[in-house]
Amino acid sequence: MFHSVAELLQLTEQSQIKISRLMIEREMALRQKTEDEIMQLMDANLTVMEQAIEKGLKGVVSHSGLTGGDAVLLQQYIAAGNSLAGPLILDAVSKAIATNEVNAAMGIICANPTAGSAGVVPGALFAVKEKLKPTRQQMVEFLFTAGAFGYVIANNAFISGAAGGCQAEVGSATGMAAAAIVEMAGGTPQQSAEAMSIALKNMLGLVCDPVAGLVEVPCVKRNGIGTSTAVVAADMALAGIKSRIPSDEVIKAMYEVGLSMPSSLRETAEGGLAATPTGRKLEATVLGGEK
């Protein structure tokens, strides 16, 4: 139905429908299911996301001991009322971190687009929910909008850290979340595309360097930062700010940057933060070497 953001926008313009509506119709045609069935399937994903956040905000610790409890610390900090960034952004960060802490603790999450970047979309969604007061259907539509941009990215670049660095994981998720926030806030499909571009182009070059080869350090906190970027990018687009580089060209640039990355910076734990002295010490501890 569409293979680029340009085609996606053209179809929404021709039919005068939202991006989420177009994606729902695509899924109905692809899966040969009714709209109710498609909505129920996505609603099930939404439930998993909600439960992961709830679990993470109660406090979890990974089996390695590298991550855990940071989502709780942020919520306590927000409650104290002295935050600099503001409660909405920090709530989004906390909920993104909560999701990835659950993932690191071998809990159930919904990969979107990957497990390593699973916190960004739900973190953004459940934070803006407090301000925008969406219906359950609108929350499900949020996921379809995010999915539409994830679909384009996956088919024109990559969404795995091993293939293109963390820009392909957290970067893609950040762009997806930014676009979906815009639609939920009443923005146009074009503004969703602008938000995606602004978000993704500011994640270009982000390497994948997991300490001890685990999707914990620095991955969990990167989800939090990516979520904050998504919220700000959405605000910029809603304010009328445009990306000078079109969405499809940003995606292509991300692809080319990923291809140019050495393997040491693509999920091999051979470079970046994983190769620092502290990173190596943590690796030895986790893998049963030096204590």
Side-chain angles (χ1 to χ4, degrees), residues 234-250:
D235 262 339
M236 292 173 73
L238 289 165
I241 296 173
K242 298 180 179 180
S243 170
R244 292 293 184 183
I245 308 300
S247 299
D248 292 314
E249 292 183 32
V250 175

Side-chain angles (χ1 to χ4, degrees), residues 126-148:
F126 282 94
V128 299
K129 173 190 174 185
E130 303 304 320
K131 181 175 180 65
L132 300 179
K133 309 297 182 186
T135 64
R136 182 75 177 186
Q137 178 173 326
Q138 289 172 325
M139 294 177 71
V140 172
E141 290 173 351
F142 182 105
L143 300 181
F144 278 108
T145 304

